[in-house]
Amino acid sequence: YTRNTNTMKKTFLLFTLLFLTSLSSSAWVYRGKGTAENPYKVQTVEDLIHVSDYTNQTDVHFRMTNDIAIYGREWTPISTFKGVFDGDGHTIAGLYISTNNDGAGLFARVNYPGEIRNLTVDQAVIAAGSWSGILVSTNGNWQEHGGTIRNCHVKNTFISAKGCTGGI
């Protein structure tokens, strides 16, 4: 009976450890605090994807720390963005979107007080519905003021859309 109890304890501990490990790996953790003084660091494609977790938040800051390549992966636009995204002079390369939906771009929309700055998008290919752009599909709309786009560049890109199409 003692032997079975020890086996059960070991099995219980193993399952508990596996469960706790799965919980900790499912939560996304950025380096930084998301403040102007200590922005969240965007270092990987996964970091870039998780910018979407902070849509509609006005007091959140991101800064790229290196170039990011997203080749071979279909991009889902970052929804309504109101924070600050600083590319810090870095490049996002290989952005690819193919959809019939409207609002395609690296960011779907930037609304006030949102800001995107110091970023280059290179070698992007977008085929989408209306209101599409390489960097941002729309900067504001008829209901909300747009944000600020400063010192951003788009190069070596292709975009095809049904209407209201732009680069930046």
Side-chain angles (χ1 to χ4, degrees):
Y1 184 77
T2 304
R3 188 171 173 198
N4 285 340
T5 302
N6 286 337
T7 302
M8 288 175 54
K9 285 180 183 178
K10 287 179 184 177
T11 303
F12 175 77
L13 288 173
L14 177 63
F15 280 113
T16 302
L17 180 61
L18 289 171
F19 175 73
L20 292 175
T21 302
S22 71
L23 285 179
S24 66
S25 64
S26 64
W28 192 257
V29 178
Y30 276 107
R31 290 147 302 283
K33 297 191 184 277
T35 63
E37 299 78 27
N38 188 5
Y40 290 131
K41 310 303 186 278
V42 179
Q43 300 175 330
T44 66
V45 174
E46 288 74 25
D47 291 342
L48 190 59
I49 289 168
H50 284 281
V51 171
S52 287
D53 296 343
Y54 297 89
T55 58
N56 280 315
Q57 292 186 25
T58 58
D59 196 25
V60 62
H61 297 256
F62 299 89
R63 181 177 297 135
M64 286 179 61
T65 59
N66 53 275
D67 295 343
I68 297 175
I70 37 182
Y71 296 103
R73 172 183 284 200
E74 176 119 15
W75 181 253
T76 300
I78 297 165
S79 191
T80 305
F81 187 75
K82 294 182 176 182
V84 175
F85 188 91
D86 186 352
D88 201 30
H90 294 288
T91 298
I92 295 173
L95 175 69
Y96 173 75
I97 300 172
S98 179
T99 182
N100 288 321
N101 295 336
D102 297 341
L106 178 63
F107 290 85
R109 176 177 293 144
V110 176
N111 284 347
Y112 180 83
E115 181 177 351
I116 302 172
R117 61 182 179 228
N118 308 316
L119 177 63
T120 297
V121 178
D122 189 16
Q123 300 176 7
V125 175
I126 296 178
S130 296
W131 303 101
S132 295
I134 300 294
L135 182 65
V136 176
S137 71
T138 58
N139 189 19
N141 62 18
W142 58 93
Q143 296 171 323
E144 293 194 49
H145 294 288
T148 301
I149 298 173
R150 180 178 312 159
N151 194 31
C152 291
H153 309 277
V154 172
K155 62 183 188 175
N156 304 315
T157 61
F158 173 82
I159 185 167
S160 172
K162 294 177 182 174
C164 301
T165 306
I168 297 287

